Amino acid sequence: MPEVIFPVDQSKPFREQQLVGHNRWHPDIPAVATVKSGDSFRVESKEWFDGTIVNSDDANDIRDCDLTMVHQLSGPFAVEGAQPGDLLVVDILDVGPVPQQTGPVAGQGWGYTGIFAKDNGGGFLTDWFPDAYKAIWDFTGQKATSRHVPGVEFTGLIHPGLMGTAPSADLLAKWNHREAQLIATDPDRVPPLALPPLPSNAVLGSLTGADYERAAAEAARTAPPRENGGNQDIKNLSKGSRIFYPVFVDGANLSLGDLHFSQGDGEITFCGAIEMGGYIDLRVEIIKGGMETYGVTTNPIFMPGIVEPRYSEFLTFVGFSVDRNGTQHYLDTTLAYQNACLNAIEYLSKFGWTKEQAYLILGAAPVEGRMSGVVDVPNSCATLYIPTAIFDIDVRPSSTPPQRIDRGQCAVSN
């Protein structure tokens, strides 16, 4: 096992750890450890809500969760010799849940998926699912099952939802400026168009006093992906993957967190993956001047690993860029993917799963989302591929009506 350079006591809150990470992006957050190019090391991580989501049969914790606290990031880790303009090469050697078999912490044999309430973050389909729901998933080896979504079992593809390098001061200012401009177009929107800097609940490593106050007022929230990587939520960024991150500050200052046991493409419920705490083993290298050499200046690139669930048969749903009121939109791929998801949810509900359960399935199971046509005006075409083997019944259309089984309901808020 590689040396653990960021240990986590899963029983303690994020702020009380031996090494304190951060939950905002800022170039002045000090590195907690320094590694060399070529080093391999292990990083432990808390789940993104710091243990405040519990293994229960109600979704009150999802309804009441405080978005100002996320994400709980391990790091930053400086890489000796890394300079702005370089590329940081990160190999994911291994990644997994908290090693204990059972326990009270997400990752110790279980994880969770949540549908966030519209007035508290929402999700991809929040206009159709405005309330809070939850499913607890139990881990058996690489398999996940849920008492809240019975009749479904699938192999997880474990991955970090969030990993990235620190922004420079100029890049941070650019983020804040463009996101503030977007918010100004509809400042009262629910859910909001973007999340501005917010000092409340900001954790900035070892920064204190005036340095903390200044950084907390500027630091960017970790919710969206940006040029540094960040919260990309790419399910195929798993064991065996190699990622090439742009470097914007001396040392690169790599951070990570938000580990997922499994996820469908898009993480469509917002808390759509199976969230957990765990560990990740990494190896790092530097490509000097790599940003200019390879033109990697506005986003990371990566090579996916070859470890993934092997499903061979899929039921595929199609969506176009026409909204549910019948209004035509021009090549709107987001709308097309929403429609593909809604079509799948409607279909699965014919077999006895509630629409909330079906929504949770699409967020947590390794479904595949694809842009299938983006040139044929006016309709963009998006497709959603669901592995048929994850269900305990045959869900393919046939001359026999759907086998409808009462699956109960997922955890709801009250």
Side-chain angles (χ1 to χ4, degrees), residues 68-115:
T68 68
M69 68 189 298
V70 297
H71 293 76
Q72 321 296 314
L73 299 186
S74 301
F77 309 109
V79 182
E80 193 173 293
Q83 296 175 305
D86 295 343
L87 284 180
L88 180 65
V89 185
V90 179
D91 290 312
I92 300 179
L93 306 179
D94 197 8
V95 58
V98 179
Q100 291 90 341
Q101 294 301 306
T102 60
V105 176
Q108 294 180 327
W110 64 278
Y112 67 90
T113 302
I115 298 174

Side-chain angles (χ1 to χ4, degrees), residues 208-215:
T208 58
D211 290 335
Y212 172 89
E213 299 296 333
R214 174 186 52 80

Side-chain angles (χ1 to χ4, degrees), residues 236-294:
N236 298 94
L237 201 69
S238 187
K239 183 177 179 178
S241 294
R242 168 169 282 196
I243 312 101
F244 303 84
Y245 288 106
V247 174
F248 302 105
V249 300
D250 288 340
N253 281 5
L254 178 73
S255 300
L256 61 93
D258 191 29
L259 299 188
H260 298 161
F261 188 85
S262 180
Q263 181 200 296
D265 280 339
E267 198 187 12
I268 61 172
T269 73
F270 182 46
C271 182
I274 300 180
E275 307 287 348
M276 67 174 202
Y279 70 90
I280 185 167
D281 296 344
L282 303 175
R283 182 179 183 275
V284 294
E285 293 181 9
I286 301 168
I287 300 177
K288 300 301 295 182
M291 288 176 65
E292 181 177 356
T293 299
Y294 292 100

Side-chain angles (χ1 to χ4, degrees), residues 13 25 195 252 315:
W25 291 115
L195 301 174
L315 192 59

